Amino acid sequence: FPSISVHPNNTKSYTVKIKLPDMMYKEIETPYINKGEVYIYKNGKKTVYLPKLNQVTEKDAADEENYIMMIINDIKDVSKVKPINNKFEDIEKIITFDSKNQKILNIDYKDGLKILFDEYVNDFPSKFRVFDGKSLVADIKFNEVSLNEKIKENDFVLKK
């Protein structure tokens, strides 16, 4: 499960399933006080289940909440691009590659978001840091990465 640290002293662990391009299920494992909280992102909506309050809410997902899916979509799409001088640029971003193994070093989004890739597992980034300008927004580490799993539509339905 991914371990996501928003601040150096504030680590949260989630079980996450993602079906590209726009569906994500995440359930908080730690900290214990939030254990069991479920967040489902689907079709631009966010459904939240808070088990301690037995409460379900649904609202539009904010763009910044979708950045993990955006990053993973961009990583997936990298295999389709041909870098020139170890860079690829489009209207939204600039992707810089390592010249030796063609792994992504970073993605600079034109809105100020920057992703620095630190570790890989099976050619997939397993650890990366997200910056908004110079501020660290998230430090993300996927402890287990399983690609191309058979994920079903009902994996993105709230089950209380």
Side-chain angles (χ1 to χ4, degrees):
F1 53 87
S3 173
I4 299 175
S5 174
V6 178
H7 301 288
N9 298 326
N10 181 11
T11 299
K12 294 182 181 180
S13 295
Y14 304 87
T15 297
V16 177
K17 291 183 182 182
I18 297 174
K19 185 170 184 177
L20 299 176
D22 64 354
M23 291 192 295
M24 179 169 61
Y25 170 98
K26 71 179 183 183
E27 183 172 342
I28 295 182
E29 299 293 330
T30 60
Y32 181 76
I33 194 162
N34 300 99
K35 186 171 176 65
E37 290 180 9
V38 174
Y39 299 80
I40 299 173
Y41 301 85
K42 184 176 171 182
N43 302 323
K45 299 283 185 192
K46 174 173 103 171
T47 303
V48 178
Y49 170 59
L50 304 173
K52 292 188 174 161
L53 302 174
N54 195 26
Q55 178 183 16
V56 176
T57 58
E58 184 177 304
K59 59 183 175 180
D60 290 337
D63 287 342
E64 59 270 10
E65 293 176 306
N66 290 319
Y67 71 85
I68 291 177
M69 284 186 293
M70 176 188 71
I71 294 165
I72 292 174
N73 272 305
D74 286 343
I75 292 167
K76 176 187 71 81
D77 290 342
V78 159
S79 64
K80 300 174 190 171
V81 303
K82 295 193 189 289
I84 298 171
N85 295 324
N86 299 319
K87 290 191 183 224
F88 170 79
E89 184 172 355
D90 67 15
I91 60 170
E92 297 174 342
K93 64 193 164 295
I94 299 171
I95 303 173
T96 305
F97 297 86
D98 180 301
S99 60
K100 292 180 186 174
N101 56 27
Q102 289 301 299
K103 290 185 178 169
I104 304 170
L105 295 174
N106 59 59
I107 301 176
D108 289 295
Y109 292 92
K110 301 214 173 151
D111 65 359
L113 205 61
K114 181 173 185 148
I115 317 305
L116 298 176
F117 297 92
D118 299 318
E119 295 176 17
Y120 279 79
V121 171
N122 300 327
D123 291 328
F124 189 84
S126 60
K127 184 172 191 269
F128 52 93
R129 291 170 287 150
V130 180
F131 293 86
D132 188 354
K134 294 186 180 192
S135 300
L136 179 64
V137 176
D139 188 3
I140 299 172
K141 171 131 174 116
F142 292 99
N143 294 326
E144 292 179 35
V145 176
S146 179
L147 301 175
N148 301 321
E149 262 191 28
K150 302 274 189 223
I151 298 177
K152 299 174 183 75
E153 185 80 22
N154 67 358
D155 288 335
F156 301 92
V157 175
L158 187 60
K159 301 167 191 92
K160 295 194 280 178

